[in-house]
Amino acid sequence: MEIPKIKRRTFIISGCLALAAYFFVETKTIAVTRYSIGINNLPSAFEGFTILHLSDLHSKSFGEGQDKLHEIIKKQTYDLVAITGDLIDKDNPDPEPGLQLVKNLTDKPTYFVPGNHEWWSGYSIRESLLKHGVKVLENRAEKFELGQQSVWILGVDDPYLGRDDLQEAMTGVDEVSPKILLAHAPGIYQSVINEKIDLLLVGHTHGGQIRIPFIGALVVPGQGLFPEFDYGLYTSGNTKMVITSGLGESVLPIRFNAAPEIVLITLKGLKQ
């Protein structure tokens, strides 16, 4: 029996409204995503070492003072925080949501690399991050030590705008110790593979914000339609890359099948 036109129209409108509501509701739901990453010749002191990876807040607030976000983070166990850019948004360059996030994290070593939105907004948040004890890595590296053992934490300036200089970041870094690189965007991946860096952490893509089941993101910035690198774990040789879908949204305040997330990456040793 044919459905009357009025009922069909009502059904279509109701379905569209329900879908739109879901797109909006998903922006408020924070996922916790975990990875176990094998690292060649990882020093024994770093076995089980866990990195909290955050990215792409885009001046978004999760409750007053970021309390909803902090409640989730407080339940996690981690040893170091890596923030891979775009704490602020060029269309809403309010630094407070980003600063409210970081000020409750710095009881653990916290590292930051800038993204394109920091630069598009004048990068005024930099000094405030430093005052909060955040270590800003712009084409440089720091040796991170536990006892007598160490790994390298490297950071490059925003690859999306071409401010990155991986060779400069590698200055003084030895070939033996494991290397973990923070960058904003995944376009640097091939260079990282060439340099035999163990782990690359990036954001920028937002996981596409809209992900089609079994297909993935339809489009991400800088890669266009059906991007090669949109979300998750990628491996090439001994190099791994983790792309987070981030916390905030860009352009449109919607998400589908790509919830905001915090990422926990636990290191485990691999022997060659």
Side-chain angles (χ1 to χ4, degrees):
M1 182 176 66
E2 185 177 357
I3 301 174
K5 288 184 178 180
I6 293 178
K7 288 187 176 181
R8 278 188 292 172
R9 189 180 300 119
T10 301
F11 177 79
I12 292 170
I13 293 173
S14 298
C16 290
L17 290 173
L19 188 60
Y22 179 85
F23 282 3
F24 176 75
V25 167
E26 187 158 355
T27 68
K28 307 298 182 182
T29 304
I30 304 169
V32 179
T33 305
R34 303 176 189 276
Y35 297 92
S36 179
I37 301 292
I39 302 291
N40 284 323
N41 299 317
L42 184 72
S44 58
F46 287 87
E47 187 71 34
F49 188 87
T50 298
I51 300 169
L52 171 64
H53 181 200
L54 307 172
S55 195
D56 296 273
L57 182 67
H58 282 265
S59 301
K60 180 178 176 180
S61 293
F62 291 90
E64 184 176 353
Q66 300 290 14
D67 57 350
K68 180 180 177 183
L69 182 54
H70 283 301
E71 281 300 314
I72 294 173
I73 291 175
K74 283 195 301 185
K75 295 177 182 178
Q76 316 307 319
T77 300
Y78 56 93
D79 304 288
L80 179 148
V81 182
I83 305 174
T84 54
D86 282 3
L87 278 176
I88 61 175
D89 190 280
K90 67 180 179 63
D91 295 324
N92 177 26
D94 180 5
E96 281 309 305
L99 296 177
Q100 288 168 351
L101 171 61
V102 302
K103 71 181 182 181
N104 288 324
L105 296 175
T106 50
D107 60 326
K108 299 291 175 66
T110 301
Y111 293 87
F112 172 83
V113 293
N116 50 303
H117 280 259
E118 269 82 33
W119 284 109
W120 283 341
S121 304
Y123 201 4
S124 58
I125 198 174
R126 184 181 191 275
E127 293 306 314
S128 295
L129 291 174
L130 292 171
K131 288 178 181 178
H132 279 84
V134 176
K135 298 183 179 184
V136 178
L137 300 180
E138 298 157 353
N139 302 324
R140 69 183 187 90
E142 283 197 1
K143 181 178 281 189
F144 188 91
E145 297 180 319
L146 289 178
Q148 301 299 311
Q149 299 179 329
S150 63
V151 300
W152 287 97
I153 308 295
L154 302 89
V156 291
D157 209 333
D158 179 40
Y160 185 72
L161 297 180
R163 293 178 175 272
D164 58 300
D165 189 334
L166 184 55
Q167 292 304 314
E168 183 178 346
M170 295 281 289
T171 302
V173 175
D174 66 79
E175 295 183 2
V176 178
S177 301
K179 293 171 277 294
I180 300 167
L181 176 68
L182 314 184
H184 178 58
I188 197 173
Y189 187 39
Q190 187 57 57
S191 298
V192 171
I193 295 168
N194 295 342
E195 293 295 337
K196 296 181 173 57
I197 289 172
D198 299 278
L199 176 61
L200 169 63
L201 305 181
V202 301
H204 184 64
T205 69
H206 298 257
Q209 287 187 203
I210 296 177
R211 297 182 61 79
I212 306 302
F214 309 109
I215 295 177
L218 296 179
V219 62
V220 300
Q223 295 185 59
L225 290 171
F226 304 108
E228 181 179 5
F229 304 117
D230 58 351
Y231 174 76
L233 175 63
Y234 297 81
T235 300
S236 179
N238 293 326
T239 299
K240 282 92 172 177
M241 174 171 68
V242 173
I243 306 176
T244 173
S245 66
L247 289 162
E249 291 75 50
S250 181
V251 182
L252 297 175
I254 59 173
R255 285 180 179 263
F256 177 76
N257 198 30
E261 68 175 359
I262 68 170
V263 174
L264 294 162
I265 296 164
T266 299
L267 308 182
K268 62 180 182 179
L270 296 176
K271 293 184 178 180
Q272 290 184 315

